Amino acid sequence: MTVDDSNVFAGLAARPHADVLILGGGINGLATFRDLAMQGVDVALVERADYVSGASAASSHMIHGGVRYLENGEFRLVHEAVTERNALLRTAPHYVRPLQTTIPIFSTFSGLLAAPLRFLRHGSGAKRERGAALIKIGLVIYDSFSRGGGQVPRHAFRGRKRSLQELPDLNPAVKYTATYWDASVHDPERLAIDVLRDALAAGGGRARAANYTAAVGVGENGILLRDAMSGEETVFAASVVVNATGPWADLTNAGLGDPVRRMGGTKGSHIVVDSPELLAATGGRELFFENEDGRIVLIYPLRGRVLIGTTDLEHDMRQPAVCTEAEVDYFIDLVGQVLPGIRVERDQIVYRFSGVRPLPRHDDVAPGFVSRDYRIDETRVAGLPAVVLTLVGGKWTTFRASAERLADTVLGHLAAPRRRSTKGVAIGGGRGFPTTQRARAQWVKAHAGDLPVDRVDQLLSRYGTIAADVIAAIIADPDDRPLANAAGYSSGELRHLAATEHVRHLDDMLMRRTGLAFTGGVTAEAAREVAGVIAPVLGWNRSRVGQEVDRAMLAVRAADPAAVSDAPAPALPEPLTDSQDAR
């Protein structure tokens, strides 16, 4: 994905037309972009901010079938999600890996009769704890969906004694545990960049993408695009416009002249804590359980930290989504319920993030019972010759499947055939990724060159087989050196990312191209060092470096109101209005 980032918008303006224009660079927009590029379609994608910086950046880092959706009667979605989970374990093994998940259970029959009543009443009525019998039924059905292509073991039940032997810090009131397997995506932002990379490679000059490019209205026979960096505008014409802006889809359509309300997303927040005690208590597995309010929550070891989430709250998309102090209290309390001997303190929180799920409008349906499935709405708006296709819903796990359905709908409008399927096609650094220790050792030895083997192994874990390009860039960089304030990264590595991955702001690098923010590694010193390293590649002078550091520190801390209360105003995109696109 090598590109001169200064000419990203200029490339669209020079040829302001394509068969398809995709609005939204989250995982669903990028996957649709990839699918259409693989069909040879002339397609362009624009993203108002950075790629995967909206709802797609706020995931629970899970690739899962959604066992709890069975209670909602969403059997089609669960079957599809399990199928896609199994496929991603094969096509993206560098980022998607099996995840052992344990459910602590404190009753035997609770919820068995209430569950179908909650389904019939759309989640209304008293909350009832899900007992062992109900969970057992769900997991048997869940396992059945993996038959014929299963990539993970089947579930297992344990009694109290065995459960406490395996997880001694569990609440001693536990009666059973149920353990099953899903999958994790430990670096979703980098997986999304791989999807983008694949699209650009497959489409050549017929696939173009630009971040920090907003659709701000309808121009003469096309969509008015604005470059957030320069303020330049162009009218872009297309036969089909795909609105893949997730929870902002209504605001996007409103800006195009379509006032119909389709979305009803709910906010989900997470905290990341640095607690060796809590990390050890998880036993290396995710704990997935029901809180007292009926919300399914998780405690999940990841990158040497522990991710705790999530909430399910109504949210106004005109307001920023932030993790509130009340939500932090909620997370600390839920840890105490399931692991009563483990204390989580606020000063252990190294990162917070919050996002809005792209759920359909649900009126009086309880948030936990809103469908997680997706659909495609078709409309036409005055002054725009193109048909507008809006993706309502969508999950990380099913991004390939939903993209395929969107692409097929687009191809129908273009009267174009599908040339190939995306099923089973490896993604980015998953191509040729060594999945055994022997194969891994051989890959590392073959690509080491002048670098130490442990460094090459680290890069393979970080980028998959795309690491070969990173290694070559590092070796070719005469000034490559380890960074003092960003452990595990080097100057040549980050300069390569800045030059080839559409990096336009420092926070792009700190929050999405690397894992520095997630693990709490973004200090002011680290931000200044990274900015200085990539400045020559991006043409930043000393003044711009200072601006980027201020912007990045605010962006990294944006989900923590206390951390930014005295901070300078951010140099972020303009606030949303009804007439603006959100992606």
Side-chain angles (χ1 to χ4, degrees):
M1 192 175 71
T2 301
V3 63
D4 180 353
D5 289 324
S6 65
N7 289 324
V8 167
F9 181 80
L12 295 179
R15 184 167 71 86
H17 55 84
D19 291 333
V20 184
L21 175 63
I22 299 173
L23 308 179
I27 186 56
N28 290 302
L30 291 173
T32 305
F33 183 54
R34 174 180 181 253
D35 194 314
L36 290 171
M38 289 172 62
Q39 313 313 319
V41 172
D42 187 4
V43 56
L45 177 145
V46 295
E47 162 58 45
R48 181 179 184 268
D50 189 23
Y51 304 116
V52 287
S53 62
S56 296
S59 78
S60 296
H61 290 63
M62 293 172 61
I63 297 294
H64 66 107
V67 63
R68 76 179 187 87
Y69 305 151
L70 293 172
E71 191 175 346
N72 297 6
E74 297 194 84
F75 295 97
R76 189 214 69 81
L77 175 62
V78 175
H79 184 272
E80 179 180 79
V82 169
T83 301
E84 293 298 312
R85 176 203 69 190
N86 292 343
L88 281 167
L89 287 165
R90 294 188 295 266
T91 60
H94 55 321
Y95 294 136
V96 180
R97 298 166 188 169
L99 174 65
Q100 187 179 22
T101 302
T102 292
I103 307 172
I105 306 169
F106 297 92
S107 69
T108 303
F109 297 107
S110 179
L112 191 59
L113 296 178
L117 292 176
R118 284 205 302 270
F119 168 63
L120 292 172
R121 296 171 181 169
H122 303 288
S124 62
K127 300 287 191 302
R128 293 295 301 275
E129 179 186 359
R130 297 163 177 88
L134 182 62
I135 291 170
K136 179 69 176 180
I137 293 169
L139 289 176
V140 168
I141 298 172
Y142 200 58
D143 283 347
S144 72
F145 287 153
S146 282
R147 289 177 182 168
Q151 295 291 303
V152 298
R154 293 183 179 278
H155 79 274
F157 260 73
R158 302 280 187 260
R160 178 178 180 275
K161 181 177 180 180
R162 178 74 178 274
S163 297
L164 292 174
Q165 286 175 344
E166 292 183 357
L167 295 167
D169 291 299
L170 277 181
N171 188 327
V174 69
K175 288 190 175 181
Y176 314 90
T177 57
T179 296
Y180 67 101
W181 291 79
D182 260 324
S184 67
V185 52
H186 67 89
D187 205 339
E189 292 85 357
R190 287 225 55 88
L191 177 57
I193 291 297
D194 270 7
V195 172
L196 172 62
R197 186 194 319 273
D198 285 357
L200 295 174
R206 291 173 65 80
R208 295 169 289 160
N211 53 353
Y212 294 98
T213 300
V216 295
V218 176
E220 186 176 354
N221 296 321
I223 303 293
L224 181 62
L225 302 181
R226 178 184 298 150
D227 180 13
M229 309 295 285
S230 67
E232 295 179 17
E233 295 183 346
T234 189
V235 176
F236 197 95
S239 299
V240 180
V241 173
V242 174
N243 178 356
T245 60
W248 292 271
D250 284 349
L251 292 177
T252 300
N253 282 337
L256 302 180
D258 175 10
V260 175
R261 184 186 168 202
R262 298 173 174 87
M263 306 302 297
T266 61
K267 185 184 77 165
S269 296
H270 300 75
I271 59 175
V272 182
V273 301
D274 184 4
S275 168
E277 185 181 25
L278 179 59
L279 183 64
T282 66
R285 65 183 77 182
E286 176 192 40
L287 300 179
F288 187 72
F289 58 98
E290 183 179 15
N291 200 16
E292 292 175 339
D293 60 1
R295 173 66 190 158
I296 301 296
V297 292
L298 56 91
I299 301 172
Y300 173 16
L302 192 65
R303 295 184 182 177
R305 305 289 188 263
V306 182
L307 177 66
I308 305 172
T310 175
T311 48
D312 205 350
L313 305 171
E314 301 290 350
H315 185 74
D316 181 352
M317 289 309 302
R318 293 172 180 79
Q319 302 300 319
V322 297
C323 179
T324 65
E325 290 304 309
E327 287 174 296
V328 172
D329 290 337
Y330 178 85
F331 295 141
I332 290 174
D333 178 69
L334 70 86
V335 172
Q337 290 181 41
V338 73
L339 300 167
I342 307 296
R343 286 188 58 83
V344 173
E345 306 290 349
R346 271 180 162 73
D347 61 6
Q348 294 175 314
I349 300 173
V350 298
Y351 191 53
R352 308 184 189 195
F353 60 95
S354 187
V356 180
R357 302 171 184 87
L359 304 181
R361 178 178 176 176
H362 52 272
D363 298 322
D364 60 348
V365 176
F369 273 75
V370 181
S371 173
R372 265 51 175 180
D373 212 338
Y374 54 87
R375 71 175 195 265
I376 300 166
D377 282 6
E378 180 178 325
T379 189
R380 290 187 179 272
V381 297
L384 187 66
V387 62
V388 178
L389 303 176
T390 301
L391 177 65
V392 180
K395 288 163 42 66
W396 254 99
T397 304
T398 56
F399 70 80
R400 189 214 62 83
S402 60
E404 181 179 65
R405 187 181 298 183
L406 253 175
D408 283 342
T409 305
V410 169
L411 292 171
H413 281 282
L414 299 177
R418 171 170 285 279
R419 295 183 179 181
R420 60 180 300 192
S421 173
T422 56
K423 289 182 180 178
V425 177
I427 299 172
R431 283 188 291 275
F433 185 76
T435 56
T436 67
Q437 286 300 320
R438 181 177 180 180
R440 187 182 184 96
Q442 290 173 340
W443 195 98
V444 168
K445 182 179 179 181
H447 291 83
D450 295 331
L451 295 184
V453 294
D454 58 342
R455 172 71 168 141
V456 175
D457 190 74
Q458 178 188 55
L459 294 170
L460 178 61
S461 294
R462 189 171 288 163
Y463 304 106
T465 54
I466 297 297
D469 295 336
V470 183
I471 293 165
I474 290 172
I475 292 174
D477 189 328
D479 298 319
D480 179 65
R481 57 176 175 77
L483 298 185
N485 299 291
Y489 290 91
S490 75
S491 56
E493 177 184 359
L494 297 193
R495 277 192 285 268
H496 174 71
L497 300 185
T500 63
E501 293 190 351
H502 294 210
V503 172
R504 303 187 78 183
H505 285 293
L506 179 59
D507 49 287
D508 302 341
M509 181 69 75
L510 299 176
M511 299 177 72
R512 289 170 290 278
R513 306 304 185 276
T514 72
L516 288 168
F518 185 89
T519 56
V522 177
T523 61
E525 293 77 13
R528 283 192 291 269
E529 183 178 25
V530 172
V533 162
I534 65 177
V537 176
L538 299 177
W540 295 348
N541 59 23
R542 182 175 298 180
S543 175
R544 176 68 183 274
V545 166
Q547 293 170 5
E548 288 293 337
V549 170
D550 288 344
R551 172 195 159 100
M553 293 305 297
L554 186 59
V556 168
R557 297 171 178 171
D560 184 352
V564 299
S565 58
D566 298 322
L572 296 172
E574 295 282 324
L576 293 176
T577 68
D578 284 347
S579 63
Q580 285 182 308
D581 174 31
R583 276 287 167 277

